[in-house]
Amino acid sequence: MFHPDLIRHPDSCPTLVLNADYTPLSYYPLSIWPWQTAVKAVFLDRVDIVAHYEREVRSPNHVMRLPSVIALKQFVRPSQFPAFTRFNLFLRDTFACQYCGSNARELTFDHVVPRAQGGRTTWENVVTACAPCNLKKGGRTPRQAHMPLAIEPIRPTSWQLQEHGRRFPPNYLHESWHDWLYWDVELEA
Ligand SMILES: [Zn+2]
């Protein structure tokens, strides 16, 4: 459903996809479709067109301006808890080491209680750690290593991850998208 690569090629006229409540389906990665998918959804009557590009496509019977923003007619309720994936874990930790706060270094995963000491691979026991901190901590708990965690790791809700995603606006945003996106950039100051 998501095509982050499209954002790097704005000439391809990607379409921002909003839920039926006119909020983006996802902030990060931003929910966008290729215009071909968007046009298909328009003809299937599954979406409303909210804004257009200047560019047109023609078929024998139709001339249509490409949609730049569409909204689903049927509300998609996000699952309450997101999947435990590499990307979602980094997003929960806002791509920063949970020991030193760095987001500039290579990021890895750290078992808070090491597996050798019975630690499990769960939301509550895995955190984002930069490679140097991971190496330094080794097979020890934070207490044993004297490396306290910035925040106690939790299983995030989809809403919490969506909030975190708002801190990562993509480099390219079509002007017609701005009315529908709210970025937390001020929090980064
Ligand atoms: Zn670190």
Side-chain angles (χ1 to χ4, degrees):
M1 170 175 285
F2 304 120
H3 298 269
D5 284 348
L6 287 173
I7 281 185
R8 288 193 277 277
H9 304 284
D11 289 347
S12 63
C13 294
T15 309
L16 174 67
V17 185
L18 306 176
N19 209 337
D21 64 355
Y22 284 67
T23 62
L25 267 189
S26 168
Y27 269 97
Y28 192 46
L30 188 60
S31 45
I32 55 175
W33 287 352
W35 65 260
Q36 293 91 337
T37 307
V39 167
K40 215 173 287 175
V42 170
F43 281 107
L44 292 172
D45 205 25
R46 292 193 181 141
V47 297
D48 288 318
I49 297 177
V50 179
H52 292 96
Y53 286 105
E54 291 301 321
R55 199 173 133 194
E56 294 177 337
V57 279
R58 290 158 191 277
S59 70
N61 305 318
H62 287 281
V63 178
M64 183 183 185
R65 287 167 72 195
L66 294 182
S68 64
V69 183
I70 55 174
L72 303 180
K73 291 195 169 186
Q74 192 114 43
F75 185 73
V76 174
R77 195 170 297 283
S79 58
Q80 191 186 357
F81 293 103
F84 182 56
T85 64
R86 185 183 167 81
F87 181 85
N88 284 343
L89 194 107
F90 279 157
L91 186 55
R92 179 199 66 184
D93 296 340
T94 59
F95 295 85
C97 173
Q98 295 301 289
Y99 294 105
C100 72
S102 166
N103 54 16
R105 298 175 179 149
E106 185 200 338
L107 295 178
T108 64
F109 297 111
D110 173 64
H111 282 75
V112 177
V113 175
R115 270 177 292 195
Q117 297 190 36
R120 294 170 55 214
T121 305
T122 59
W123 281 112
E124 292 84 359
N125 194 51
V126 179
V127 296
T128 305
C130 71
C133 281
N134 203 334
L135 195 67
K136 187 172 149 204
K137 179 169 172 282
R140 297 176 295 177
T141 64
R143 182 192 287 265
Q144 289 163 349
H146 304 289
M147 293 171 66
L149 282 165
I151 303 167
E152 203 61 36
I154 55 149
R155 180 192 189 191
T157 62
S158 293
W159 183 83
Q160 285 168 323
L161 282 197
Q162 180 88 327
E163 286 299 298
H164 285 189
R166 288 170 53 190
R167 299 184 199 176
F168 300 96
N171 293 332
Y172 168 77
L173 294 169
H174 187 256
E175 56 188 25
S176 69
W177 299 358
H178 287 282
D179 290 343
W180 310 101
L181 299 170
Y182 301 92
W183 303 102
D184 273 352
V185 279
E186 66 273 16
L187 289 182
E188 293 296 284

